[in-house]
């Protein structure tokens, strides 16, 4: 395994140079390469963008071309949450299910949809469950929309709500512990353990919102399993998946999909991207 930090400046050229250098460390003998990227991918294009969490990545940029030129083998590019869902489907908690939703709960909420054993891409929008409306007219999402899942279940959205209520005069250990720093998963856990009411409410609302998204997805395309992962979900463990599953059962009864914790951790995206590359370039193998 090779790792490197994302360059903070220099825009897409600097990021792609770092990616190519990191891939080169482990690419010896590879017939093809899969890359999972944190932004929208037009399916099959090898291009990604705009990506709000990468500094300076404001447009659509060719990712595959520069890496192919540097390494010399074909490169497949996929959205990272799509790739992670596919990785779990093939080799993780999704093995045995051909119709599943990967649901990634961290600073935001991402998703990936596998239907009939294939990654559903559509025009690149499929599986973007973080921006499903779970409360029409509700809290403002990081994207500007109202009532999206990510505003209720993403760590950033939960922090915004905690600070809003604190500014309005509500006491909470969340702000006492976090201070001016980021309200990490560990802060939520510590506040919960000490019986903080607001932390408990925000967690309950997160579970309800995730369950609503799971139920809506199940009713639309009939998934039988949800693989729940991401930094925040991982921190709360199997109990979090059980709570979302139980809340989904409350909405759908016996038709609700089972909700299970992801198994591949940080590797699901890289593994899924590699498996998708093998599907895209079978004659290279
Ligand atoms: Zn949104």
């Amino acid at each position: 395994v090779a790792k490197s930090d994302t360059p903070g400046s220099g825009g897409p050229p600097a990021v792609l140079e770092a990616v190519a250098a990191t891939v080169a460390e482990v690419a010896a003998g590879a017939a093809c390469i899969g890359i999972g990227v944190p932004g929208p991918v037009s399916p099959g294009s090898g291009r990604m963008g705009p990506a709000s969490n990468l500094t300076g990545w404001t447009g659509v940029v060719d990712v595959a071309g520069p890496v192919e030129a540097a390494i010399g083998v074909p490169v497949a590019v996929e959205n990272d949450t799509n790739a992670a869902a596919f990785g779990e489907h093939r080799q993780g908690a999704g093995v045995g299910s051909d119709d599943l939703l990967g649901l990634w709960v961290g600073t935001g909420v991402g998703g990936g949809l596998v239907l009939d054993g294939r990654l559903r891409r559509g025009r690149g929008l499929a599986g973007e469950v973080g921006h499903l409306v779970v409360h029409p007219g509700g809290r403002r999402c990081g994207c500007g929309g109202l009532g999206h899942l990510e505003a209720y279940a993403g760590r950033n959205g939960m922090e915004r709500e905690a600070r809003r209520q604190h500014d309005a005069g509500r006491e909470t250990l969340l702000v006492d512990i976090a201070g001016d720093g980021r309200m990490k998963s560990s802060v939520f856990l510590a506040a919960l353990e000490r019986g903080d009411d607001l932390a408990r409410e925000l967690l309950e609302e997160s579970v309800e919102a995730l369950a609503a998204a799971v139920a809506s997805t199940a009713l639309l395309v009939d998934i039988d399993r949800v693989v729940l992962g991401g930094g925040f979900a991982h921190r709360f463990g199997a109990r979090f998946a059980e709570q979302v599953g139980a809340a989904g059962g409350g909405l759908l009864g016996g038709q609700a999909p089972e909700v299970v914790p992801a198994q591949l951790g940080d590797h699901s995206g890289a593994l899924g991207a590699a498996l998708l590359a093998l599907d895209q370039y079978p004659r290279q193998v």
Side-chain angles (χ1 to χ4, degrees):
V1 177
K3 278 189 176 189
S4 70
D5 291 332
T6 306
S9 61
V15 173
L16 290 171
E17 198 175 304
V19 168
T22 308
V23 169
E25 289 180 43
V26 290
C32 57
I33 288 165
I35 298 181
V37 292
V41 173
S42 176
S45 70
R47 296 154 70 86
M48 187 269 285
S52 57
N53 43 6
L54 289 176
T55 310
W57 204 297
T58 52
V60 179
V61 176
D62 182 14
V63 172
V67 180
E68 278 178 5
I71 311 290
V73 297
V75 171
V77 176
E78 185 56 63
N79 170 264
D80 55 2
T81 60
N82 278 356
F86 194 72
E88 290 284 348
H89 161 62
R90 284 282 185 88
Q91 298 198 3
V95 170
S97 168
D98 276 342
D99 299 291
L100 70 84
L101 175 69
L103 192 49
W104 313 112
V105 182
T107 53
V109 178
L113 197 55
V114 174
L115 297 176
D116 298 326
R118 295 164 62 94
L119 180 66
R120 172 67 188 179
R121 295 183 173 93
R123 293 166 299 156
L125 206 56
E128 285 289 335
V129 288
H131 304 283
L132 280 178
V133 176
V134 292
H135 289 282
R139 284 184 210 155
R140 190 168 295 282
C141 181
C143 74
L146 292 180
H148 295 181
L149 172 61
E150 187 167 287
Y152 291 83
R155 194 169 50 70
N156 283 347
M158 294 166 74
E159 171 167 0
R160 274 198 305 277
E161 180 63 13
R163 291 196 184 279
R164 188 190 68 76
Q165 294 205 25
H166 181 258
D167 290 346
R170 185 159 179 192
E171 288 293 320
T172 174
L173 289 170
L174 288 168
V175 174
D176 295 347
I177 299 170
D180 292 333
R182 288 172 66 194
M183 216 170 266
K184 296 181 171 177
S185 312
S186 56
V187 174
F188 278 93
L189 268 179
L192 277 173
E193 279 165 12
R194 290 162 63 181
D196 186 74
D197 280 342
L198 181 56
R200 183 180 47 74
E201 279 174 32
L202 290 172
L203 244 297
E204 285 171 2
E205 286 169 348
S206 159
V207 167
E208 283 168 14
L210 289 165
V214 165
S216 298
T217 305
L219 287 166
L220 193 63
V221 292
D222 203 358
I223 47 172
D224 58 32
R225 195 176 302 177
V226 174
V227 175
L228 187 62
F232 197 80
H234 180 71
R235 192 81 195 221
F236 283 88
R239 205 167 140 259
F240 193 59
E242 282 165 22
Q243 288 174 342
V244 174
L251 296 170
L252 287 180
Q255 303 289 343
E258 59 175 338
V259 180
V260 299
Q263 287 178 355
L264 302 175
D266 290 345
H267 296 302
S268 57
L271 188 64
L275 292 165
L276 286 162
L278 285 171
D279 283 1
Q280 187 169 337
Y281 301 107
R283 279 168 296 184
Q284 304 291 329
V285 183

